[in-house]
Amino acid sequence: MNAEVVAVGTELLLGQIANTNAQHISDALARVGVNVFFHTTVGDNLVRMTDVIATALRRSDVVVITGGLGPTPDDVTREGVAAATGRALARDDRLVETIRGIFAKLGRRSMPESNLRQADLPEGAKAIDPVGTAPGFELEHEGTLLFALPGVPWEMKAMLDSDVLPRLQAAAEGTIVSSEVLVVGVGESHVDEKISDLVATQSNPTIAYLAGGGRVKVRLTAKAATEDAARTLIEPLEDEVRGRLGADAVGRGSASVAEDLGSMLRERGATVAVIESLTGGLIGAELTRLPGAGDFFTGGVVAYSNEVKDRVAGVDPDLLEEKGAVSEEVAAALARSAAWTFGADLGLSATGVAGPGEQDGLPPGTVFVGASYRGRTEVRRPRAYGDRGNVRAVTVTWAIDLGRRLLLDDGG
């Protein structure tokens, strides 16, 4: 069973809001075994909406529309579905009373007559009762199931769970399950070199890559009759992928490199502190984002200027003068200082040029990260790229990963 998600709203096309509804719907449909092959976004225009819906009905077994079910003139999803299916709109008397009851329950003295537009459904459609103020509906057209849901996220999610998913789960064959192997410190091409033969022979499970921010996600997806059966298909393949990638793969069950490092620190009863420059506190923020971070995070300093690197972080001013603030030697000194200053087992550091311009003749993307764990200090130079935000994101990932690798090498 193949589906298309149609998101309605000119604000989506203008980039004023993110299309999180489509993401949520796709994830939910996968869990009940429905493949999503298309995402379409269309503005509040009846002609274009009619064309989009007609196309979706021709090429998909299931169409889920979200948005455009409000009471105002630009809410034309009902009209679009009616036009695409060649049906007239008919007012649902039961929905009229439901809508009036909603207003009465909210204590509103009067209801604009325009709200009754929300009781107009394409002929043959079945209403999905509102959980907010907007009803949804479903209908079957020439063998395709169509569901129209509100655009307000919490209303959409409630109707999806109560009406759409049970209906589709009964009709779908099996379920789709995904697992991710998070890879850090190496690029997508390096990952592909290690597992390209597995990718070339994929069928079920399938393998896909998603790279960005100094990380590569290897997504393994299987379809089977049950969730347990799908996971049984994934497990041996995930074991093989992890075995080939070794320390480049973050530990099983960790959603981020920070989570993996936090778990390792807890297991060892160890602590971490940071002194960071170009990242401006982002390394500390990523570590303390984890619940219970107080178990392992002791503190941090944002040492942006050379004066702070000297007076607060204790970096030798002669070293700063000779090697420059953006250097392997200063990154090492900052990492050692982080551990010593905060009495931590592990010290992390970052220094570099985020851009957009050069610094001391060094181009944007010149970055050094350091880690010092119980007397052993290492520095790496990430392959930072892109704009200022991405350079900083890559730096955060590599700094935390370097600490993780030191702990792995130490073995406890």
Side-chain angles (χ1 to χ4, degrees), residues 107-161:
R108 299 181 183 177
R109 295 180 179 177
S110 62
M111 182 191 75
E113 286 300 306
S114 62
N115 279 88
L116 294 183
R117 291 184 62 240
Q118 294 176 286
D120 294 340
L121 302 179
E123 288 182 335
K126 175 187 173 184
I128 301 175
D129 286 342
V131 293
T133 60
F137 63 86
E138 67 171 88
L139 62 81
E140 185 171 347
H141 180 74
E142 297 180 355
T144 298
L145 286 171
L146 181 145
F147 300 89
L149 307 177
V152 177
W154 72 269
E155 295 182 30
M156 177 276 295
K157 292 175 183 178
M159 290 187 186
L160 190 72
D161 290 343

Side-chain angles (χ1 to χ4, degrees), residues 188 195 199 202 206-210 216-221:
E188 186 174 2
I195 64 172
V199 176
Q202 64 179 323
T206 59
I207 305 174
Y209 303 139
L210 176 64
V216 180
K217 293 181 180 179
V218 181
R219 188 181 68 243
L220 313 175
T221 303

Side-chain angles (χ1 to χ4, degrees), residues 143-400:
T144 298
L145 286 171
L146 181 145
F147 300 89
L149 307 177
V152 177
W154 72 269
E155 295 182 30
M156 177 276 295
K157 292 175 183 178
M159 290 187 186
L160 190 72
D161 290 343
S162 65
D163 290 78
V164 179
L165 296 182
R167 178 95 157 82
L168 294 179
Q169 192 160 25
E173 297 179 356
T175 187
I176 300 170
V177 173
S178 292
S179 180
E180 285 186 348
V181 179
L182 179 62
V183 186
V184 290
V186 293
E188 186 174 2
S189 58
H190 175 87
V191 174
D192 188 60
E193 284 181 356
K194 294 291 186 72
I195 64 172
S196 59
D197 60 311
L198 300 178
V199 176
T201 58
Q202 64 179 323
S203 56
N204 186 26
T206 59
I207 305 174
Y209 303 139
L210 176 64
R215 302 165 298 175
V216 180
K217 293 181 180 179
V218 181
R219 188 181 68 243
L220 313 175
T221 303
K223 187 169 185 177
T226 65
E227 181 176 336
D228 286 344
R231 294 198 182 281
T232 298
L233 291 173
I234 289 174
E235 283 174 4
L237 179 60
E238 181 171 349
D239 289 342
E240 179 67 20
V241 169
R242 288 184 176 278
R244 295 190 186 190
L245 295 173
D248 294 333
V250 168
R252 193 188 301 265
S254 294
S256 69
V257 64
E259 185 177 322
D260 199 29
L261 176 59
S263 297
M264 294 169 68
L265 290 167
R266 282 196 183 96
E267 290 172 1
R268 291 161 169 76
T271 55
V272 62
V274 301
I275 296 180
E276 46 189 314
S277 181
L278 85 155
T279 43
L282 293 176
I283 299 173
E286 181 68 7
L287 291 169
T288 56
R289 183 179 57 82
L290 303 171
D295 294 344
F296 56 81
F297 187 84
T298 60
V301 168
V302 176
Y304 226 68
S305 70
N306 280 359
E307 289 76 16
V308 173
K309 291 182 178 71
D310 171 12
R311 297 178 185 176
V312 178
V315 178
D316 188 339
D318 292 336
L319 181 64
L320 289 166
E321 178 67 26
E322 179 185 352
K323 298 297 183 179
V326 181
S327 63
E328 179 178 349
E329 292 80 3
V330 168
L334 289 172
R336 287 191 292 266
S337 178
W340 183 85
T341 301
F342 293 96
D345 298 283
L346 173 66
L348 301 179
S349 70
T351 182
V353 185
E358 292 186 350
Q359 177 181 323
D360 297 330
L362 299 173
T366 304
V367 170
F368 295 93
V369 297
S372 183
Y373 182 62
R374 295 177 177 172
R376 176 187 172 190
T377 303
E378 287 194 10
V379 175
R380 298 181 76 187
R381 183 171 180 174
R383 294 184 294 274
Y385 53 89
D387 62 14
R388 183 177 177 86
N390 198 65
V391 168
R392 283 152 58 98
V394 169
T395 304
V396 170
T397 298
W398 277 61
I400 297 173

